[in-house]
Amino acid sequence: MCAEYATFGLAPAMRAGGVHSDGGYRVHRDFVDFIVDGRPLLFRLSDLDAVSPLASDVPPAIFTAQVRSLLLESPAPLPDGRYVVYGCPECEDLACGAVTAVIRSEGEDVIWQDFAWQTDDHADLELNGYHGIGPFRFRGPEYRTALGALLNGSAPDPRRRVLLIGARAVVLAKLAAALRTIGVGADIAQDADGVPADELSGYGAVVLGHAAGEKERAAVRRAFERAGVPVAHVDGLAPIVPLLVAQIEHALDRSPADRRRLTGLTAAAGTADVEVTSTCRVTLTAYRLDRLSRTHTHEVFDGVLEAGRHRLALDPKTARGRSYVVARTSTSVLAAAVRQ
């Protein structure tokens, strides 16, 4: 059993937050994902909306305890030598459900096996086991080096704050409130001139309204360049809060581009093309501004897509004029204008 070795690594990942037209929302979470044989382990679990226990927003002491637990330096937190691999992104309650696995050492090697969906202290492998996943045998030095780096200050810095710049104060205020609701910090300013470098270094993205001119955009870029701060620049597509939140979530995604689940979105009148790298649930939402600048929202698609490129139909009535689409998976989000 488990004779061949699998490679083990870690990479920054994100649970994409978002706001809905009905007032609901999804919390933004940054975490470190497990990379097994070059692929995020989470992607093997199809439609699972979950995060690893290595979340960046937990207190440092808890983060360290989670790392040491995975290093087998402390007893397993669950009976039968089981560890939580992925849990609820909203809370830490096992009752919400979690993916667990037995983690054990065998000589120098570390083995992850018997993956299961668990909602109480004991896992039912026959009923809830992930029979097609694992076991995985990792070389001990590679495994311990990857996790040990997190204890040496190598945990990724999510920089989950956003600077909002624009002329429409009402829209910016609503956008800042929406971002704070999902756990993303937001500040509003007229420009970036005169802001100290140490303050600029705290931002992961800077957002400029769609009405901002090239002169304003260039000034903002120069301010961050002078401060030596690499930052994602977001050009707002339209004054639609859920659409802008989606753009910002994409900009804040620190996961490697070749390890993202949602990799493509384009739209023209009548169709939207969506590309995903693994089987997962995808939602597609269309937004339209009418002649009075009122927003119309339409849920276009909600279903599971297999890996590949898919063409989804758009109702011409929902995609005429100034129209936009947002595609989401549990970990990724993309926004695009509908080409007329």
Side-chain angles (χ1 to χ4, degrees):
M1 179 187 74
C2 197
E4 295 185 2
Y5 284 102
T7 62
F8 181 86
L10 301 169
M14 181 184 79
R15 190 258 190 157
V19 295
H20 309 300
S21 57
D22 61 1
Y25 64 90
R26 288 164 43 98
V27 174
H28 175 109
R29 298 293 302 278
D30 293 290
F31 63 100
V32 178
D33 200 6
F34 308 109
I35 307 300
V36 177
D37 284 336
R39 185 177 178 223
L41 180 59
L42 183 60
F43 289 10
R44 299 173 187 257
L45 302 171
S46 187
D47 190 31
L48 186 66
D49 180 16
V51 299
S52 83
L54 304 178
S56 64
D57 54 358
V58 300
I62 295 178
F63 185 91
T64 298
Q66 295 285 11
V67 174
R68 294 199 179 281
S69 178
L70 293 171
L71 286 167
L72 305 181
E73 296 179 4
S74 58
L78 298 173
D80 305 318
R82 303 193 72 82
Y83 294 75
V84 173
V85 179
Y86 295 107
C88 174
E90 306 284 349
C91 69
E92 298 179 5
D93 193 343
L94 186 61
C96 289
V99 177
T100 67
V102 172
I103 301 180
R104 63 183 180 87
S105 60
E106 187 175 282
E108 279 290 300
D109 299 341
V110 177
I111 298 173
W112 288 24
Q113 65 184 63
D114 298 335
F115 288 81
W117 179 254
Q118 191 167 342
T119 56
D120 53 34
D121 286 343
H122 295 279
D124 186 333
L125 289 177
E126 183 175 349
L127 182 64
N128 296 315
Y130 286 97
H131 303 294
I133 298 179
F136 301 114
R137 178 186 292 271
F138 304 117
R139 290 181 173 84
E142 178 184 59
Y143 180 88
R144 285 183 281 273
T145 297
L147 285 168
L150 298 179
L151 300 176
N152 300 325
S154 298
D157 176 13
R159 285 203 293 157
R160 201 170 59 246
R161 289 193 69 79
V162 179
L163 180 61
L164 309 178
I165 298 176
R168 302 185 66 170
V170 173
V171 174
L172 294 181
K174 290 180 179 179
L175 177 57
L179 290 170
R180 291 164 187 153
T181 298
I182 66 173
V184 176
D187 298 317
I188 300 173
Q190 290 186 333
D191 54 52
D193 291 338
V195 180
D198 59 343
E199 290 187 26
L200 291 180
S201 65
Y203 295 113
V206 56
V207 184
L208 288 97
H210 73 291
E214 185 53 41
K215 184 177 180 181
E216 296 170 276
R217 299 175 192 279
V220 170
R221 292 190 179 91
R222 285 196 300 271
F224 278 92
E225 289 170 359
R226 285 196 301 268
V229 177
V231 67
H233 292 263
V234 178
D235 292 328
L237 289 172
I240 302 172
V241 170
L243 174 67
L244 293 171
V245 169
Q247 287 189 265
I248 293 166
E249 283 290 292
H250 173 69
L252 292 175
D253 192 348
R254 296 288 182 260
S255 61
D258 60 347
R259 291 174 180 161
R260 296 183 185 179
R261 182 167 260 168
L262 178 62
T263 56
L265 173 66
T266 57
T271 61
D273 290 330
V274 179
E275 188 168 4
V276 292
T277 58
S278 65
T279 300
C280 59
R281 178 188 175 194
V282 175
T283 63
L284 188 67
T285 306
Y287 299 93
R288 180 175 65 84
L289 287 175
D290 64 19
R291 287 178 296 177
L292 299 177
S293 295
R294 295 173 299 193
T295 301
H296 301 265
T297 305
H298 301 273
E299 302 302 328
V300 176
F301 178 82
D302 186 347
V304 175
L305 298 178
E306 296 182 353
R309 192 171 183 86
H310 303 268
R311 176 156 291 181
L312 306 176
L314 294 177
D315 186 336
K317 294 181 180 179
T318 70
R320 67 178 187 270
R322 296 174 59 193
S323 301
Y324 312 87
V325 290
V326 171
R328 287 184 173 278
T329 69
S330 62
T331 58
S332 308
V333 59
L334 286 174
V338 179
R339 301 191 309 272
Q340 300 300 322

